[in-house]
Amino acid sequence: IKYISVSESAFIPNRNRNVWSLLAGLSGPPGAGKSTFIEALGKYLTAEGHKVAVLAVDPSSSTTGGSLMGDKTRMPELSRDRNAYIRPSPSGGHLGGVTRSTNEAIVLCEAAGFDIILVETIGVGQSEYNVAHMVDMFVLLIPPAGGDELQGIKKGIVELADVVVVNKADGALLPDARRIQSEYTSALKFVRRRSKIWRTKVTRVSSLKKEGIVELWKDMMQFRDVTMEEGELEVKRRKQYQIWMWSHIEHHLLYVFKHHPKVNPSIKEMEQKVSEGIITPGLAADYMISKFLE
C-alpha cells in the first residue's frame, strides 16, 4: 500500500458552507424508475445552470466483475450533456454495494466544480445505510404499487429518508401514486425523525412527463438551506469524515491481513477445510488471526 502525503486542503471539501456542493443519495426498489428519474432531474438541473455528477453504483458481474445494469446507457440524454458526468461503478462485491472509491469520487467531483452530486445505490438494503453516511440528504424513490400504511412503517429504510418520492405518477398509475403518497405521509408521523429541524416530505413526480421535478427540487433546496442555516449540515459532514476514515482503515487492514506472509499461504487451506466442514469458520478465523499476530 502506497501512502502519499498531501496538504489537508487538497482533499477536504471547502470549509465555506456557502460553496458546498449538494450531495444527495438516491435509492429505491427495483422497478422504481431510478435511472429515468435521475435523467429527468439531471436535465432540469443542467438547464438551470448547474453541473451534475451522477455516481451510479451497480451490482457486479460474478464473471467479468463489471457493472450489470449499465446505468450510463440508461441515461442517454444526460450522458451527452456537457454539464453532466456519469460514473457507473461496479460494486465489486463490497457489502452494501457502495464501493470503497465512492468517497474519493465524491471529493473529486466537488473539486472539479460539480455543485450537485447524486449517488445512486443498487437498493439492496445495506447500501442505503452506507450511502446515508456519505451524503447531505437521502432521497427514497418508490413505485406507485403495493404496500399500505403499516408497510410504510415497517420499512426501516423510510427512517433514513429526508424526502420520499413517489415516481411514475402519470396515466393509469396516478390514482395509485396519490394513494401511496397519502399513506406514506401518514406513516411518517410514527417514524422517529433523524433531524430536529426537518420533517420528511413526501412528493410525487412523473419522470416520463417531467412533472413534479421543479417542486421536488424546491424541497431539496429548502432542506439544504434549513440544515445549513442551523449548522446541522456542517456537523453531519464532520461526522462523515470520521466514518470515512474508519472505513478506509478497515479496508486497509483487511488488505494487509490477507497479504501477510504468515497468513496468505494458509488462506486457501482454511477456506477448503471450512467448506468441507472439517473446522468451523470461527476456529479458522482464530487460527489465521493468531498467525497474523505472531
Side-chain angles (χ1 to χ4, degrees):
I1 303 173
K2 186 176 182 180
Y3 297 93
I4 302 175
S5 177
V6 295
S7 64
E8 179 179 299
S9 61
F11 56 88
I12 295 296
N14 198 312
R15 296 292 185 180
N16 186 348
R17 292 183 297 170
N18 294 326
V19 296
W20 270 1
S21 302
L22 174 64
L23 312 181
L26 297 170
S27 188
K34 294 189 290 293
S35 296
T36 306
F37 168 76
I38 291 175
E39 181 167 64
L41 177 61
K43 289 297 293 181
Y44 167 75
L45 293 176
T46 56
E48 291 293 311
H50 295 283
K51 293 188 66 177
V52 181
V54 180
L55 306 179
V57 183
D58 281 356
S60 292
S61 168
S62 59
T63 304
T64 65
S67 300
L68 285 177
M69 298 177 68
D71 280 322
K72 194 166 186 177
T73 62
R74 295 149 65 94
M75 308 175 195
E77 295 297 327
L78 189 61
S79 63
R80 294 196 295 266
D81 197 311
R82 291 183 177 273
N83 290 318
Y85 169 67
I86 302 177
R87 179 182 183 267
S89 55
S91 63
H94 187 277
L95 177 63
V98 181
T99 63
R100 178 185 175 278
S101 61
T102 304
N103 289 336
E104 285 88 351
I106 290 175
V107 175
L108 286 173
C109 287
E110 283 191 296
F114 291 94
D115 58 327
I116 309 295
I117 302 174
L118 308 177
V119 183
E120 178 195 2
T121 74
I122 56 182
V124 294
Q126 183 63 37
S127 57
E128 285 78 13
Y129 291 92
N130 293 338
V131 168
H133 296 307
M134 295 182 179
V135 297
D136 301 328
M137 67 180 304
F138 191 83
V139 179
L140 175 63
L141 211 65
I142 56 176
D148 51 25
E149 186 175 16
L150 293 178
Q151 186 70 13
I153 298 175
K154 286 188 291 184
K155 292 181 179 178
I157 182 60
V158 178
E159 296 179 354
L160 296 174
D162 298 301
V163 178
V164 177
V165 179
V166 183
N167 195 20
K168 302 182 180 181
D170 51 57
L173 292 175
L174 183 57
D176 290 331
R178 290 172 175 167
R179 177 178 58 83
I180 293 295
Q181 181 185 19
S182 176
E183 290 179 353
Y184 269 79
T185 301
S186 179
L188 283 168
K189 297 176 182 177
F190 303 98
V191 175
R192 179 177 297 179
R193 294 166 57 183
R194 289 200 306 156
S195 171
K196 296 180 180 180
I197 58 176
W198 177 262
R199 183 178 296 276
T200 303
K201 293 190 176 184
V202 184
T203 185
R204 65 177 186 270
V205 303
S206 170
S207 302
L208 192 63
K209 294 186 176 182
K210 311 297 189 297
E211 296 176 351
I213 300 296
V214 177
E215 291 74 15
L216 170 62
W217 179 241
K218 289 180 180 179
D219 289 340
M220 295 175 69
M221 284 293 93
Q222 183 183 3
F223 172 87
R224 185 181 68 170
D225 293 342
V226 169
T227 55
M228 189 177 291
E229 182 178 347
E230 296 296 327
E232 187 174 285
L233 182 59
E234 185 171 5
V235 172
K236 180 186 290 186
R237 286 233 176 164
R238 292 182 181 274
K239 289 182 179 179
Q240 287 175 353
Y241 297 151
Q242 298 175 8
I243 294 173
W244 293 9
M245 178 189 72
W246 286 109
S247 175
H248 294 328
I249 289 174
E250 290 176 2
H251 283 89
H252 281 308
L253 286 178
L254 182 59
Y255 178 89
V256 172
F257 179 82
K258 287 184 175 181
H259 292 79
H260 192 277
K262 291 187 177 181
V263 175
N264 186 265
S266 62
I267 289 180
K268 289 186 177 180
E269 178 186 358
M270 290 296 103
E271 289 178 341
Q272 183 68 23
K273 289 184 176 180
V274 168
S275 63
E276 294 178 356
I278 298 176
I279 60 176
T280 64
L283 185 59
D286 291 340
Y287 172 78
M288 288 192 288
I289 291 174
S290 65
K291 300 293 287 184
F292 176 78
L293 295 177
E294 289 178 0

